[in-house]
């Protein structure tokens, strides 16, 4: 059965918002999901297990949103549900929200592939409610969203503008050109003359950035994009692969915020997502070649090139 794209059903021509399907892999997860839905004032279906939800999605014609709450490592029923949820999100059938823990985020992302799903990690009540309120809006289904604590469109624009600025800067650096800025889509691959970077100096820079929060409020220096790029460059130098969960930690911001930065930077071509060929439960993130070249040229200019 194809699920309708409208989140409304009609009774005597009056629109009534369709219910939310609430799913959890444990009783506690189901209760949390239902509480979020009830606080939003929206109608919900009975709390379902993942196996029940897969069957229910075959029968249910209309939904406003699907909320999946996960406490444990994904089991086979959970993986089937995530696969179905990802396909529905890709078709923009309805909004899909998955709330999970950082320990599970790699496996969840691997199962969802590149679907436009709102992924929450250890989120507080305000962020959960803000995410759900956007997920049920028809104009937002399938769109990139940022619903940080202020839940404002201004935050989304700021994120997009910042990533665009970083992409343009790295594009210029990667080609060492005096010409006009390149768009992310035309970022050239690095040339053979790209300088090496001192691993020791890079580690010292990362350590110094971490030490700031010991002496001054950490939120004064929140710069997740830069922190993630530094971590990825260091991993590239020592030939380590970086899973999504580790990159979220390196960002030094809440995991949900880090995930949004990762998605935006991947969409802009700064980062590349790689599925682990040996373990389907993991997803790695690495820099695009032009991003790496841009960073290496930058550090060469500021005197951090390897000798």
């Amino acid at each position: 059965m194809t699920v309708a794209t409208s989140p409304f059903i009609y009774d005597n021509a009056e629109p009534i918002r369709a219910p939310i399907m609430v799913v959890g892999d444990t009783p506690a997860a189901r209760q949390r999901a239902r509480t979020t839905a009830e606080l939003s004032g929206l109608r919900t279906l009975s709390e379902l297990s993942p196996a029940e939800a897969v069957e229910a999605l075959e029968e249910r014609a209309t939904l406003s949103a699907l909320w999946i709450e996960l406490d444990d490592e994904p089991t086979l029923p959970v993986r089937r549900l995530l696969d179905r949820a990802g396909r529905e999100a890709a078709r923009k059938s309805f909004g899909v929200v998955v709330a999970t823990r950082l320990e599970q985020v790699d496996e969840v992302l691997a199962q969802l592939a590149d679907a436009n799903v709102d992924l929450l990690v250890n989120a507080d009540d305000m962020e959960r409610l803000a995410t759900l309120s956007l997920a049920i809006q028809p104009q937002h289904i399938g769109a990139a969203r940022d619903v940080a604590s202020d839940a404002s469109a201004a935050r989304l624009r700021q994120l997009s503008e910042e990533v665009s600025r970083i992409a343009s800067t790295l594009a210029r650096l990667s080609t060492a050109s005096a010409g006009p800025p390149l768009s992310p889509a035309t970022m050239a691959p690095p040339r053979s003359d790209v300088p090496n970077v001192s691993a020791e100096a890079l580690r010292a820079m990362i350590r110094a950035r971490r030490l700031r929060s010991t002496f001054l409020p950490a939120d004064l220096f929140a710069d997740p994009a830069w922190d993630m790029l530094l971590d990825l460059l260091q991993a590239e130098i020592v030939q380590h692969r970086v899973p999504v969960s580790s990159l979220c930690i390196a960002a030094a911001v809440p995991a949900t915020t880090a995930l949004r930065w990762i998605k935006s930077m991947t969409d802009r071509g700064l980062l590349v997502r790689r599925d682990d060929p040996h373990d389907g439960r993991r997803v790695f993130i690495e820099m695009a070649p032009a991003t790496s070249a841009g960073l290496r040229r930058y550090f060469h200019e500021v005197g951090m090139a390897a000798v």
Side-chain angles (χ1 to χ4, degrees):
M1 176 181 294
T2 301
V3 182
T5 58
S6 172
F8 297 99
I9 55 179
Y10 290 83
D11 183 9
N12 296 326
E14 290 295 325
I16 302 172
R17 189 171 291 280
I20 298 170
M21 182 177 289
V22 170
V23 187
D25 62 347
T26 66
R30 289 190 285 275
Q31 180 57 48
R32 282 199 308 278
R34 185 173 185 85
T35 297
T36 297
E38 289 176 344
L39 287 173
S40 71
L42 300 168
R43 295 190 301 127
T44 65
L45 301 176
S46 299
E47 304 101 306
L48 302 175
S49 69
E52 293 169 334
V54 172
E55 183 176 345
L57 284 171
E58 297 293 338
E59 303 296 330
R60 187 76 197 181
T62 308
L63 290 174
S64 285
L66 170 63
W67 185 289
I68 303 172
E69 190 93 18
L70 301 176
D71 278 345
D72 297 330
E73 293 184 6
T75 59
L76 180 58
V78 169
R79 290 196 293 271
R80 288 174 175 167
L81 174 61
L82 291 175
D83 179 70
R84 174 63 185 269
R87 285 186 279 120
E88 296 295 352
R91 287 200 291 264
K92 304 183 182 181
S93 303
F94 43 75
V96 178
V97 182
V98 179
T100 187
R101 300 184 302 164
L102 183 59
E103 296 84 352
Q104 286 17 298
V105 71
D106 291 296
E107 192 166 354
V108 169
L109 277 173
Q111 195 63 43
L112 287 171
D114 232 358
N116 245 321
V117 173
D118 286 307
L119 187 59
L120 296 177
V121 180
N122 303 332
D124 59 24
D125 289 341
M126 181 179 293
E127 189 165 26
R128 290 163 67 90
L129 288 171
T131 301
L132 181 56
S133 70
L134 282 180
I136 63 175
Q137 301 302 318
Q139 67 269 28
H140 290 294
I141 292 175
R145 296 185 284 271
D146 186 356
V147 286
S149 58
D150 59 2
S152 67
R155 181 69 185 92
L156 178 58
R157 289 195 298 272
Q158 180 184 357
L159 171 63
S160 179
E161 291 166 1
E162 179 68 8
V163 171
S164 294
R165 182 189 65 77
I166 294 169
S168 295
T169 300
L170 289 173
R172 290 194 302 271
L173 288 168
S174 69
T175 56
S177 171
L182 301 176
S183 69
T186 60
M187 289 173 72
R191 300 199 307 245
S192 59
D193 61 345
V194 172
N196 292 323
V197 174
S198 166
E200 292 76 14
L202 188 59
R203 281 195 293 269
M205 174 183 282
I206 293 172
R207 181 174 180 274
R209 291 176 65 81
R210 294 291 179 265
L211 280 175
R212 293 180 307 186
S213 61
T214 303
F215 306 101
L216 295 166
D219 57 358
L220 289 176
F221 306 104
D223 192 359
W226 186 241
D227 284 324
M228 286 190 283
L229 289 174
L230 290 179
D231 190 72
L232 289 170
L233 181 57
Q234 177 180 236
E236 183 178 279
I237 291 171
V238 299
Q239 299 185 342
H240 285 172
R241 308 191 77 177
V242 181
V244 172
S245 54
S246 295
L247 195 57
C248 287
I249 295 171
V253 292
T256 300
T257 302
L259 287 169
R260 293 187 184 113
W261 276 97
I262 293 170
K263 176 171 173 51
S264 184
M265 294 172 75
T266 302
D267 290 345
R268 297 294 180 117
L270 290 166
L271 306 181
V272 178
R273 168 184 167 139
R274 304 284 188 199
D275 293 332
D276 186 340
H278 306 295
D279 187 345
R281 298 170 299 174
R282 288 200 301 181
V283 174
F284 296 117
I285 300 294
E286 59 190 51
M287 292 185 296
T291 306
S292 173
L295 278 179
R296 290 170 182 269
R297 291 190 184 282
Y298 165 77
F299 286 121
H300 175 71
E301 291 296 319
V302 298
M304 284 179 55
V307 293

